[in-house]
mmCIF file of all heavy atoms in Angstrom:
data_model
loop_
_atom_site.group_PDB
_atom_site.id
_atom_site.type_symbol
_atom_site.label_atom_id
_atom_site.label_comp_id
_atom_site.label_asym_id
_atom_site.label_seq_id
_atom_site.Cartn_x
_atom_site.Cartn_y
_atom_site.Cartn_z
ATOM 1 N N ASN A 11 7.547 -15.218 -12.092
ATOM 2 C CA ASN A 11 7.838 -15.536 -13.491
ATOM 3 C C ASN A 11 6.536 -15.566 -14.291
ATOM 4 O O ASN A 11 6.184 -16.537 -14.933
ATOM 5 C CB ASN A 11 8.565 -16.882 -13.566
ATOM 6 C CG ASN A 11 9.179 -17.130 -14.928
ATOM 7 O OD1 ASN A 11 9.710 -16.218 -15.544
ATOM 8 N ND2 ASN A 11 9.096 -18.370 -15.405
ATOM 9 N N ASP A 12 5.834 -14.463 -14.246
ATOM 10 C CA ASP A 12 4.489 -14.374 -14.808
ATOM 11 C C ASP A 12 4.458 -13.268 -15.854
ATOM 12 O O ASP A 12 4.207 -12.098 -15.551
ATOM 13 C CB ASP A 12 3.476 -14.095 -13.689
ATOM 14 C CG ASP A 12 2.050 -14.014 -14.196
ATOM 15 O OD1 ASP A 12 1.788 -14.521 -15.299
ATOM 16 O OD2 ASP A 12 1.209 -13.433 -13.481
ATOM 17 N N GLY A 13 4.751 -13.634 -17.066
ATOM 18 C CA GLY A 13 4.688 -12.675 -18.158
ATOM 19 C C GLY A 13 5.810 -11.651 -18.099
ATOM 20 O O GLY A 13 6.877 -11.886 -17.540
ATOM 21 N N TYR A 14 5.530 -10.493 -18.674
ATOM 22 C CA TYR A 14 6.518 -9.433 -18.786
ATOM 23 C C TYR A 14 6.415 -8.478 -17.604
ATOM 24 O O TYR A 14 5.343 -8.272 -17.038
ATOM 25 C CB TYR A 14 6.327 -8.661 -20.097
ATOM 26 C CG TYR A 14 6.787 -9.418 -21.321
ATOM 27 C CD1 TYR A 14 6.013 -10.436 -21.857
ATOM 28 C CD2 TYR A 14 8.004 -9.123 -21.921
ATOM 29 C CE1 TYR A 14 6.426 -11.145 -22.980
ATOM 30 C CE2 TYR A 14 8.440 -9.822 -23.044
ATOM 31 C CZ TYR A 14 7.647 -10.828 -23.569
ATOM 32 O OH TYR A 14 8.068 -11.532 -24.667
ATOM 33 N N ALA A 15 7.573 -7.898 -17.233
ATOM 34 C CA ALA A 15 7.606 -6.858 -16.198
ATOM 35 C C ALA A 15 8.731 -5.895 -16.549
ATOM 36 O O ALA A 15 9.758 -6.302 -17.107
ATOM 37 C CB ALA A 15 7.844 -7.463 -14.816
ATOM 38 N N VAL A 16 8.541 -4.641 -16.228
ATOM 39 C CA VAL A 16 9.560 -3.634 -16.519
ATOM 40 C C VAL A 16 10.858 -4.012 -15.819
ATOM 41 O O VAL A 16 10.857 -4.483 -14.677
ATOM 42 C CB VAL A 16 9.096 -2.238 -16.074
ATOM 43 C CG1 VAL A 16 10.164 -1.197 -16.375
ATOM 44 C CG2 VAL A 16 7.788 -1.882 -16.771
ATOM 45 N N ALA A 17 11.983 -3.821 -16.495
ATOM 46 C CA ALA A 17 13.282 -4.241 -15.987
ATOM 47 C C ALA A 17 13.861 -3.224 -14.998
ATOM 48 O O ALA A 17 13.334 -2.127 -14.814
ATOM 49 C CB ALA A 17 14.256 -4.435 -17.145
ATOM 50 N N TYR A 18 14.948 -3.653 -14.353
ATOM 51 C CA TYR A 18 15.780 -2.795 -13.492
ATOM 52 C C TYR A 18 15.041 -2.250 -12.275
ATOM 53 O O TYR A 18 15.343 -1.169 -11.789
ATOM 54 C CB TYR A 18 16.418 -1.666 -14.306
ATOM 55 C CG TYR A 18 17.295 -2.183 -15.423
ATOM 56 C CD1 TYR A 18 16.910 -2.036 -16.750
ATOM 57 C CD2 TYR A 18 18.484 -2.853 -15.141
ATOM 58 C CE1 TYR A 18 17.690 -2.539 -17.784
ATOM 59 C CE2 TYR A 18 19.278 -3.368 -16.173
ATOM 60 C CZ TYR A 18 18.875 -3.208 -17.484
ATOM 61 O OH TYR A 18 19.655 -3.722 -18.490
ATOM 62 N N GLY A 19 14.054 -2.992 -11.790
ATOM 63 C CA GLY A 19 13.446 -2.638 -10.521
ATOM 64 C C GLY A 19 12.158 -1.846 -10.599
ATOM 65 O O GLY A 19 11.530 -1.594 -9.563
ATOM 66 N N ASP A 20 11.727 -1.486 -11.793
ATOM 67 C CA ASP A 20 10.467 -0.742 -11.919
ATOM 68 C C ASP A 20 9.336 -1.733 -12.161
ATOM 69 O O ASP A 20 8.636 -1.693 -13.175
ATOM 70 C CB ASP A 20 10.572 0.274 -13.044
ATOM 71 C CG ASP A 20 9.420 1.269 -13.038
ATOM 72 O OD1 ASP A 20 8.681 1.307 -12.032
ATOM 73 O OD2 ASP A 20 9.251 1.983 -14.047
ATOM 74 N N ASP A 21 9.163 -2.640 -11.207
ATOM 75 C CA ASP A 21 8.214 -3.742 -11.355
ATOM 76 C C ASP A 21 7.366 -3.856 -10.083
ATOM 77 O O ASP A 21 7.731 -3.314 -9.037
ATOM 78 C CB ASP A 21 8.964 -5.052 -11.610
ATOM 79 C CG ASP A 21 9.901 -5.396 -10.458
ATOM 80 O OD1 ASP A 21 9.427 -5.949 -9.447
ATOM 81 O OD2 ASP A 21 11.114 -5.107 -10.559
ATOM 82 N N PRO A 22 6.250 -4.557 -10.125
ATOM 83 C CA PRO A 22 5.369 -4.642 -8.951
ATOM 84 C C PRO A 22 6.003 -5.318 -7.743
ATOM 85 O O PRO A 22 5.696 -4.955 -6.604
ATOM 86 C CB PRO A 22 4.169 -5.448 -9.472
ATOM 87 C CG PRO A 22 4.186 -5.262 -10.949
ATOM 88 C CD PRO A 22 5.623 -5.150 -11.321
ATOM 89 N N TRP A 23 6.862 -6.313 -7.954
ATOM 90 C CA TRP A 23 7.462 -7.020 -6.827
ATOM 91 C C TRP A 23 8.418 -6.107 -6.051
ATOM 92 O O TRP A 23 8.420 -6.102 -4.834
ATOM 93 C CB TRP A 23 8.193 -8.267 -7.320
ATOM 94 C CG TRP A 23 7.274 -9.294 -7.879
ATOM 95 C CD1 TRP A 23 6.689 -10.332 -7.209
ATOM 96 C CD2 TRP A 23 6.793 -9.366 -9.221
ATOM 97 N NE1 TRP A 23 5.881 -11.061 -8.053
ATOM 98 C CE2 TRP A 23 5.924 -10.485 -9.300
ATOM 99 C CE3 TRP A 23 7.008 -8.610 -10.371
ATOM 100 C CZ2 TRP A 23 5.281 -10.859 -10.478
ATOM 101 C CZ3 TRP A 23 6.371 -8.983 -11.547
ATOM 102 C CH2 TRP A 23 5.516 -10.089 -11.586
ATOM 103 N N THR A 24 9.198 -5.320 -6.785
ATOM 104 C CA THR A 24 10.105 -4.392 -6.123
ATOM 105 C C THR A 24 9.338 -3.278 -5.432
ATOM 106 O O THR A 24 9.726 -2.816 -4.351
ATOM 107 C CB THR A 24 11.128 -3.829 -7.127
ATOM 108 O OG1 THR A 24 11.819 -4.920 -7.751
ATOM 109 C CG2 THR A 24 12.141 -2.938 -6.437
ATOM 110 N N ALA A 25 8.241 -2.853 -6.018
ATOM 111 C CA ALA A 25 7.390 -1.844 -5.351
ATOM 112 C C ALA A 25 6.824 -2.402 -4.048
ATOM 113 O O ALA A 25 6.773 -1.696 -3.032
ATOM 114 C CB ALA A 25 6.266 -1.416 -6.287
ATOM 115 N N ARG A 26 6.412 -3.671 -4.065
ATOM 116 C CA ARG A 26 5.904 -4.276 -2.829
ATOM 117 C C ARG A 26 7.017 -4.452 -1.807
ATOM 118 O O ARG A 26 6.787 -4.315 -0.595
ATOM 119 C CB ARG A 26 5.236 -5.617 -3.135
ATOM 120 C CG ARG A 26 3.946 -5.485 -3.909
ATOM 121 C CD ARG A 26 3.030 -6.689 -3.696
ATOM 122 N NE ARG A 26 3.635 -7.927 -4.167
ATOM 123 C CZ ARG A 26 3.514 -8.382 -5.411
ATOM 124 N NH1 ARG A 26 2.841 -7.692 -6.317
ATOM 125 N NH2 ARG A 26 4.066 -9.522 -5.750
ATOM 126 N N LEU A 27 8.232 -4.750 -2.281
ATOM 127 C CA LEU A 27 9.367 -4.851 -1.358
ATOM 128 C C LEU A 27 9.633 -3.501 -0.697
ATOM 129 O O LEU A 27 9.878 -3.435 0.520
ATOM 130 C CB LEU A 27 10.610 -5.327 -2.103
ATOM 131 C CG LEU A 27 11.901 -5.368 -1.270
ATOM 132 C CD1 LEU A 27 11.784 -6.359 -0.123
ATOM 133 C CD2 LEU A 27 13.093 -5.710 -2.166
ATOM 134 N N ASP A 28 9.577 -2.422 -1.469
ATOM 135 C CA ASP A 28 9.757 -1.086 -0.885
ATOM 136 C C ASP A 28 8.748 -0.851 0.231
ATOM 137 O O ASP A 28 9.087 -0.353 1.313
ATOM 138 C CB ASP A 28 9.588 -0.010 -1.963
ATOM 139 C CG ASP A 28 10.789 0.103 -2.890
ATOM 140 O OD1 ASP A 28 11.896 -0.288 -2.467
ATOM 141 O OD2 ASP A 28 10.620 0.574 -4.027
ATOM 142 N N ALA A 29 7.500 -1.202 -0.035
ATOM 143 C CA ALA A 29 6.453 -0.982 0.963
ATOM 144 C C ALA A 29 6.684 -1.842 2.203
ATOM 145 O O ALA A 29 6.491 -1.377 3.340
ATOM 146 C CB ALA A 29 5.092 -1.287 0.357
ATOM 147 N N ARG A 30 7.093 -3.099 1.995
ATOM 148 C CA ARG A 30 7.317 -3.982 3.144
ATOM 149 C C ARG A 30 8.504 -3.503 3.969
ATOM 150 O O ARG A 30 8.476 -3.557 5.210
ATOM 151 C CB ARG A 30 7.565 -5.412 2.648
ATOM 152 C CG ARG A 30 7.701 -6.434 3.769
ATOM 153 C CD ARG A 30 6.444 -6.530 4.566
ATOM 154 N NE ARG A 30 6.536 -7.511 5.642
ATOM 155 C CZ ARG A 30 6.053 -7.331 6.865
ATOM 156 N NH1 ARG A 30 5.441 -6.196 7.183
ATOM 157 N NH2 ARG A 30 6.163 -8.266 7.772
ATOM 158 N N VAL A 31 9.542 -3.015 3.322
ATOM 159 C CA VAL A 31 10.704 -2.488 4.044
ATOM 160 C C VAL A 31 10.312 -1.265 4.853
ATOM 161 O O VAL A 31 10.766 -1.089 5.992
ATOM 162 C CB VAL A 31 11.850 -2.196 3.055
ATOM 163 C CG1 VAL A 31 12.902 -1.284 3.684
ATOM 164 C CG2 VAL A 31 12.493 -3.506 2.600
ATOM 165 N N ARG A 32 9.459 -0.419 4.310
ATOM 166 C CA ARG A 32 8.988 0.731 5.086
ATOM 167 C C ARG A 32 8.191 0.282 6.305
ATOM 168 O O ARG A 32 8.295 0.873 7.385
ATOM 169 C CB ARG A 32 8.167 1.667 4.199
ATOM 170 C CG ARG A 32 8.995 2.417 3.168
ATOM 171 C CD ARG A 32 8.195 3.536 2.525
ATOM 172 N NE ARG A 32 7.086 3.045 1.720
ATOM 173 C CZ ARG A 32 7.186 2.723 0.432
ATOM 174 N NH1 ARG A 32 8.348 2.824 -0.191
ATOM 175 N NH2 ARG A 32 6.114 2.292 -0.235
ATOM 176 N N ASP A 33 7.393 -0.778 6.144
ATOM 177 C CA ASP A 33 6.651 -1.317 7.288
ATOM 178 C C ASP A 33 7.595 -1.778 8.389
ATOM 179 O O ASP A 33 7.346 -1.540 9.581
ATOM 180 C CB ASP A 33 5.791 -2.515 6.857
ATOM 181 C CG ASP A 33 4.603 -2.125 6.009
ATOM 182 O OD1 ASP A 33 4.219 -0.942 6.047
ATOM 183 O OD2 ASP A 33 4.060 -3.009 5.316
ATOM 184 N N LEU A 34 8.672 -2.456 8.007
ATOM 185 C CA LEU A 34 9.547 -3.111 8.981
ATOM 186 C C LEU A 34 10.633 -2.200 9.532
ATOM 187 O O LEU A 34 11.053 -2.371 10.681
ATOM 188 C CB LEU A 34 10.201 -4.340 8.342
ATOM 189 C CG LEU A 34 9.275 -5.506 8.016
ATOM 190 C CD1 LEU A 34 10.026 -6.570 7.231
ATOM 191 C CD2 LEU A 34 8.695 -6.098 9.290
ATOM 192 N N PHE A 35 11.110 -1.256 8.730
ATOM 193 C CA PHE A 35 12.285 -0.480 9.112
ATOM 194 C C PHE A 35 12.006 1.016 9.285
ATOM 195 O O PHE A 35 12.907 1.754 9.666
ATOM 196 C CB PHE A 35 13.402 -0.667 8.079
ATOM 197 C CG PHE A 35 13.961 -2.055 8.028
ATOM 198 C CD1 PHE A 35 13.409 -3.008 7.197
ATOM 199 C CD2 PHE A 35 15.034 -2.408 8.825
ATOM 200 C CE1 PHE A 35 13.922 -4.298 7.146
ATOM 201 C CE2 PHE A 35 15.560 -3.692 8.789
ATOM 202 C CZ PHE A 35 14.995 -4.640 7.949
ATOM 203 N N GLY A 36 10.788 1.469 9.005
ATOM 204 C CA GLY A 36 10.476 2.879 9.163
ATOM 205 C C GLY A 36 10.034 3.508 7.861
ATOM 206 O O GLY A 36 10.425 3.090 6.760
ATOM 207 N N GLY A 37 9.225 4.564 7.988
ATOM 208 C CA GLY A 37 8.571 5.147 6.837
ATOM 209 C C GLY A 37 9.470 5.685 5.759
ATOM 210 O O GLY A 37 9.080 5.745 4.597
ATOM 211 N N GLY A 38 10.696 6.092 6.107
ATOM 212 C CA GLY A 38 11.587 6.648 5.095
ATOM 213 C C GLY A 38 12.594 5.669 4.548
ATOM 214 O O GLY A 38 13.454 6.048 3.738
ATOM 215 N N ALA A 39 12.511 4.404 4.938
ATOM 216 C CA ALA A 39 13.511 3.417 4.508
ATOM 217 C C ALA A 39 13.351 3.097 3.030
ATOM 218 O O ALA A 39 12.235 3.046 2.498
ATOM 219 C CB ALA A 39 13.392 2.153 5.347
ATOM 220 N N LEU A 40 14.482 2.858 2.376
ATOM 221 C CA LEU A 40 14.507 2.514 0.957
ATOM 222 C C LEU A 40 15.249 1.203 0.766
ATOM 223 O O LEU A 40 16.268 0.951 1.414
ATOM 224 C CB LEU A 40 15.204 3.611 0.146
ATOM 225 C CG LEU A 40 14.565 4.997 0.169
ATOM 226 C CD1 LEU A 40 15.470 6.009 -0.519
ATOM 227 C CD2 LEU A 40 13.194 4.954 -0.510
ATOM 228 N N ALA A 41 14.749 0.364 -0.143
ATOM 229 C CA ALA A 41 15.375 -0.927 -0.437
ATOM 230 C C ALA A 41 15.917 -0.926 -1.857
ATOM 231 O O ALA A 41 15.215 -0.532 -2.801
ATOM 232 C CB ALA A 41 14.361 -2.055 -0.273
ATOM 233 N N PHE A 42 17.150 -1.392 -2.003
ATOM 234 C CA PHE A 42 17.797 -1.497 -3.304
ATOM 235 C C PHE A 42 18.314 -2.928 -3.460
ATOM 236 O O PHE A 42 19.386 -3.264 -2.952
ATOM 237 C CB PHE A 42 18.951 -0.503 -3.427
ATOM 238 C CG PHE A 42 18.547 0.938 -3.283
ATOM 239 C CD1 PHE A 42 18.597 1.559 -2.037
ATOM 240 C CD2 PHE A 42 18.107 1.660 -4.377
ATOM 241 C CE1 PHE A 42 18.224 2.895 -1.899
ATOM 242 C CE2 PHE A 42 17.728 2.997 -4.246
ATOM 243 C CZ PHE A 42 17.790 3.612 -2.996
ATOM 244 N N PRO A 43 17.573 -3.796 -4.139
ATOM 245 C CA PRO A 43 18.049 -5.173 -4.325
ATOM 246 C C PRO A 43 19.350 -5.214 -5.110
ATOM 247 O O PRO A 43 19.551 -4.444 -6.063
ATOM 248 C CB PRO A 43 16.915 -5.828 -5.118
ATOM 249 C CG PRO A 43 15.711 -4.993 -4.825
ATOM 250 C CD PRO A 43 16.229 -3.595 -4.686
ATOM 251 N N VAL A 44 20.244 -6.110 -4.682
ATOM 252 C CA VAL A 44 21.524 -6.321 -5.356
ATOM 253 C C VAL A 44 21.727 -7.821 -5.530
ATOM 254 O O VAL A 44 20.904 -8.631 -5.120
ATOM 255 C CB VAL A 44 22.692 -5.685 -4.574
ATOM 256 C CG1 VAL A 44 22.561 -4.174 -4.536
ATOM 257 C CG2 VAL A 44 22.777 -6.255 -3.161
ATOM 258 N N LEU A 45 22.871 -8.183 -6.111
ATOM 259 C CA LEU A 45 23.082 -9.578 -6.495
ATOM 260 C C LEU A 45 23.747 -10.424 -5.434
ATOM 261 O O LEU A 45 23.555 -11.638 -5.404
ATOM 262 C CB LEU A 45 23.909 -9.626 -7.789
ATOM 263 C CG LEU A 45 23.189 -9.061 -9.020
ATOM 264 C CD1 LEU A 45 24.153 -8.938 -10.188
ATOM 265 C CD2 LEU A 45 21.997 -9.923 -9.393
ATOM 266 N N ASN A 46 24.565 -9.829 -4.560
ATOM 267 C CA ASN A 46 25.259 -10.636 -3.559
ATOM 268 C C ASN A 46 25.716 -9.767 -2.399
ATOM 269 O O ASN A 46 25.624 -8.534 -2.449
ATOM 270 C CB ASN A 46 26.458 -11.383 -4.175
ATOM 271 C CG ASN A 46 27.418 -10.461 -4.905
ATOM 272 O OD1 ASN A 46 27.890 -9.481 -4.350
ATOM 273 N ND2 ASN A 46 27.707 -10.763 -6.163
ATOM 274 N N GLY A 47 26.210 -10.433 -1.346
ATOM 275 C CA GLY A 47 26.572 -9.723 -0.127
ATOM 276 C C GLY A 47 27.768 -8.810 -0.281
ATOM 277 O O GLY A 47 27.804 -7.711 0.290
ATOM 278 N N THR A 48 28.780 -9.252 -1.015
ATOM 279 C CA THR A 48 29.941 -8.392 -1.237
ATOM 280 C C THR A 48 29.520 -7.121 -1.972
ATOM 281 O O THR A 48 29.944 -6.010 -1.628
ATOM 282 C CB THR A 48 31.021 -9.138 -2.030
ATOM 283 O OG1 THR A 48 31.509 -10.231 -1.252
ATOM 284 C CG2 THR A 48 32.189 -8.222 -2.379
ATOM 285 N N GLY A 49 28.673 -7.277 -2.974
ATOM 286 C CA GLY A 49 28.167 -6.101 -3.683
ATOM 287 C C GLY A 49 27.388 -5.181 -2.771
ATOM 288 O O GLY A 49 27.528 -3.951 -2.847
ATOM 289 N N ALA A 50 26.559 -5.753 -1.901
ATOM 290 C CA ALA A 50 25.797 -4.925 -0.965
ATOM 291 C C ALA A 50 26.729 -4.129 -0.064
ATOM 292 O O ALA A 50 26.498 -2.936 0.200
ATOM 293 C CB ALA A 50 24.876 -5.803 -0.121
ATOM 294 N N ASN A 51 27.794 -4.769 0.411
ATOM 295 C CA ASN A 51 28.739 -4.069 1.286
ATOM 296 C C ASN A 51 29.493 -2.973 0.548
ATOM 297 O O ASN A 51 29.659 -1.861 1.064
ATOM 298 C CB ASN A 51 29.722 -5.069 1.886
ATOM 299 C CG ASN A 51 29.096 -5.940 2.952
ATOM 300 O OD1 ASN A 51 28.107 -5.572 3.572
ATOM 301 N ND2 ASN A 51 29.673 -7.107 3.183
ATOM 302 N N VAL A 52 29.951 -3.269 -0.655
ATOM 303 C CA VAL A 52 30.706 -2.265 -1.420
ATOM 304 C C VAL A 52 29.823 -1.066 -1.751
ATOM 305 O O VAL A 52 30.229 0.092 -1.591
ATOM 306 C CB VAL A 52 31.304 -2.892 -2.693
ATOM 307 C CG1 VAL A 52 31.871 -1.805 -3.610
ATOM 308 C CG2 VAL A 52 32.388 -3.896 -2.334
ATOM 309 N N VAL A 53 28.612 -1.322 -2.205
ATOM 310 C CA VAL A 53 27.698 -0.222 -2.531
ATOM 311 C C VAL A 53 27.396 0.604 -1.284
ATOM 312 O O VAL A 53 27.437 1.846 -1.306
ATOM 313 C CB VAL A 53 26.403 -0.766 -3.161
ATOM 314 C CG1 VAL A 53 25.348 0.333 -3.261
ATOM 315 C CG2 VAL A 53 26.691 -1.345 -4.539
ATOM 316 N N SER A 54 27.111 -0.072 -0.172
ATOM 317 C CA SER A 54 26.768 0.639 1.062
ATOM 318 C C SER A 54 27.916 1.514 1.541
ATOM 319 O O SER A 54 27.723 2.705 1.851
ATOM 320 C CB SER A 54 26.418 -0.374 2.156
ATOM 321 O OG SER A 54 25.285 -1.138 1.821
ATOM 322 N N LEU A 55 29.098 0.942 1.639
ATOM 323 C CA LEU A 55 30.236 1.682 2.191
ATOM 324 C C LEU A 55 30.655 2.823 1.275
ATOM 325 O O LEU A 55 31.028 3.911 1.743
ATOM 326 C CB LEU A 55 31.406 0.729 2.433
ATOM 327 C CG LEU A 55 31.154 -0.363 3.480
ATOM 328 C CD1 LEU A 55 32.350 -1.315 3.564
ATOM 329 C CD2 LEU A 55 30.856 0.243 4.845
ATOM 330 N N THR A 56 30.603 2.607 -0.033
ATOM 331 C CA THR A 56 30.976 3.664 -0.972
ATOM 332 C C THR A 56 29.972 4.810 -0.909
ATOM 333 O O THR A 56 30.343 5.985 -1.004
ATOM 334 C CB THR A 56 31.061 3.099 -2.396
ATOM 335 O OG1 THR A 56 31.918 1.958 -2.414
ATOM 336 C CG2 THR A 56 31.616 4.137 -3.358
ATOM 337 N N ALA A 57 28.689 4.475 -0.726
ATOM 338 C CA ALA A 57 27.663 5.510 -0.644
ATOM 339 C C ALA A 57 27.808 6.371 0.597
ATOM 340 O O ALA A 57 27.409 7.540 0.602
ATOM 341 C CB ALA A 57 26.279 4.874 -0.674
ATOM 342 N N LEU A 58 28.381 5.820 1.660
ATOM 343 C CA LEU A 58 28.490 6.541 2.930
ATOM 344 C C LEU A 58 29.810 7.282 3.105
ATOM 345 O O LEU A 58 29.950 8.067 4.048
ATOM 346 C CB LEU A 58 28.333 5.555 4.092
ATOM 347 C CG LEU A 58 26.932 4.998 4.331
ATOM 348 C CD1 LEU A 58 26.982 3.876 5.359
ATOM 349 C CD2 LEU A 58 25.976 6.092 4.785
#
């Protein structure tokens, strides 16, 4: 909560999350933050 940051995920924290996910899950892994578990499941299953 430090000043202004670009909205909708184009921010430094989300960029660092992408990098950390690649460290933990593999070089091509991508992270998409969502609001809750049901949403994560619906988005995942619909995408597949």
Side-chain angles (χ1 to χ4, degrees):
N11 193 39
D12 181 19
Y14 286 77
V16 180
Y18 300 110
D20 192 12
D21 60 82
W23 293 268
T24 304
R26 291 204 298 271
L27 175 63
D28 284 336
R30 185 63 179 139
V31 163
R32 289 192 294 272
D33 289 341
L34 292 173
F35 294 89
L40 298 172
F42 300 93
V44 295
L45 294 171
N46 54 54
T48 295
N51 287 336
V52 170
V53 169
S54 297
L55 296 176
T56 307
L58 288 171

